[in-house]
Amino acid sequence: ETEGFKGNFSSTVQQGDHVVVVEHGAIIIATGGVEYKGTEYQYGKSDRIKTQQEFEGYLWDHLSSGNGTGSSPDPTSLPDQIAMIQCVGPSEKYCSRICCTTAIKNALKLKELKPEAEITILYRDIRTYGFKERIYTDAREAGIRFIHFEFDRKPEVEVLTEKGAINVKVWE
C-alpha cells in the first residue's frame, strides 16, 4: 500500500507476517526486462546469429579463454565480419534506450580484440544518450560502419546452410 504525494510518500510492505512502513520522497517502479528473442532475421536458424546479450557472452567467453594460463585469448577465433541489426521486434516500435549503446560497446570490444574485423551496425535511429554519445564517436573513429535503413526496407538475412555462410542485405 502506498499513499502520499510527491516528496512525501508512505508505503507499507508486507512479507509473510512481517510488516514495514517506509517513508520516502519518490517511487521508482522497476519491473525488470527480458531480452527479445523473436524469429526475425533468421534468429534460431544458425548458431552464428546471436542476440546482443549472447554476443556479449561470446566475447566474455573468449576473453576468459586464457584464464589462469597467463596467455591472452586467440583473436583468430573471433569473426572477421559482423553485422548488427538494431530495432528488432518490439524495438521497431518502442525504443528501449539501451540497445544502441550495447551494440556499440560490443562492437568496440570486438575491434579492440581484433582490429581488422569489419563491423557494420544497421540502424533506424542511433540513440546513445548523454555521455554515451562519446562511444558512438569512438566507434566511427575505429572504423565501425553505420548504415541507416528505413522501416519499410528492413535488412534481409539469408542463411546459406551448405556453406555455413550468412548473407545480410540492406538497402541504403
Side-chain angles (χ1 to χ4, degrees), residues 34-40 43 51-53 88-91:
V34 176
E35 182 181 42
Y36 176 73
K37 293 185 179 188
T39 58
E40 292 94 330
Y43 180 77
T51 66
Q52 278 297 341
Q53 281 185 336
V88 177
S91 293

Side-chain angles (χ1 to χ4, degrees), residues 114-162:
K114 191 170 190 171
E116 69 276 14
E118 294 179 23
I119 304 167
T120 304
I121 296 178
L122 309 175
Y123 70 94
R124 286 192 39 227
D125 187 15
I126 290 292
R127 297 185 181 182
T128 49
Y129 295 92
F131 292 118
K132 294 175 182 173
E133 186 71 22
R134 292 179 190 156
I135 69 167
Y136 174 63
T137 301
D138 293 345
R140 294 187 56 98
E141 289 173 355
I144 295 168
R145 286 181 296 239
F146 290 82
I147 298 176
H148 178 262
F149 68 90
E150 295 293 334
F151 184 76
D152 59 344
R153 291 194 141 177
K154 296 177 189 175
E156 297 175 17
V157 177
E158 181 182 20
V159 178
L160 304 173
T161 54
E162 69 278 359

Side-chain angles (χ1 to χ4, degrees), residues 49-169:
I49 299 174
K50 301 179 182 309
T51 66
Q52 278 297 341
Q53 281 185 336
E54 290 168 348
F55 182 64
E56 186 170 15
Y58 168 80
L59 290 174
W60 278 107
D61 288 347
H62 179 79
L63 283 169
S64 63
S65 65
N67 215 0
T69 65
S71 64
S72 57
D74 176 18
T76 61
S77 65
L78 292 168
D80 295 319
Q81 294 179 316
I82 190 166
M84 297 178 178
I85 302 173
Q86 300 302 101
C87 303
V88 177
S91 293
E92 291 177 346
K93 197 172 182 181
Y94 305 104
C95 181
S96 72
R97 297 179 59 144
I98 61 168
C99 304
C100 291
T101 302
T102 302
I104 295 170
K105 174 185 62 90
N106 289 340
L108 283 168
K109 180 51 76 176
L110 178 58
K111 266 296 194 190
E112 177 188 320
L113 296 170
K114 191 170 190 171
E116 69 276 14
E118 294 179 23
I119 304 167
T120 304
I121 296 178
L122 309 175
Y123 70 94
R124 286 192 39 227
D125 187 15
I126 290 292
R127 297 185 181 182
T128 49
Y129 295 92
F131 292 118
K132 294 175 182 173
E133 186 71 22
R134 292 179 190 156
I135 69 167
Y136 174 63
T137 301
D138 293 345
R140 294 187 56 98
E141 289 173 355
I144 295 168
R145 286 181 296 239
F146 290 82
I147 298 176
H148 178 262
F149 68 90
E150 295 293 334
F151 184 76
D152 59 344
R153 291 194 141 177
K154 296 177 189 175
E156 297 175 17
V157 177
E158 181 182 20
V159 178
L160 304 173
T161 54
E162 69 278 359
K163 298 178 186 175
I166 298 169
N167 283 341
V168 178
K169 297 177 188 176

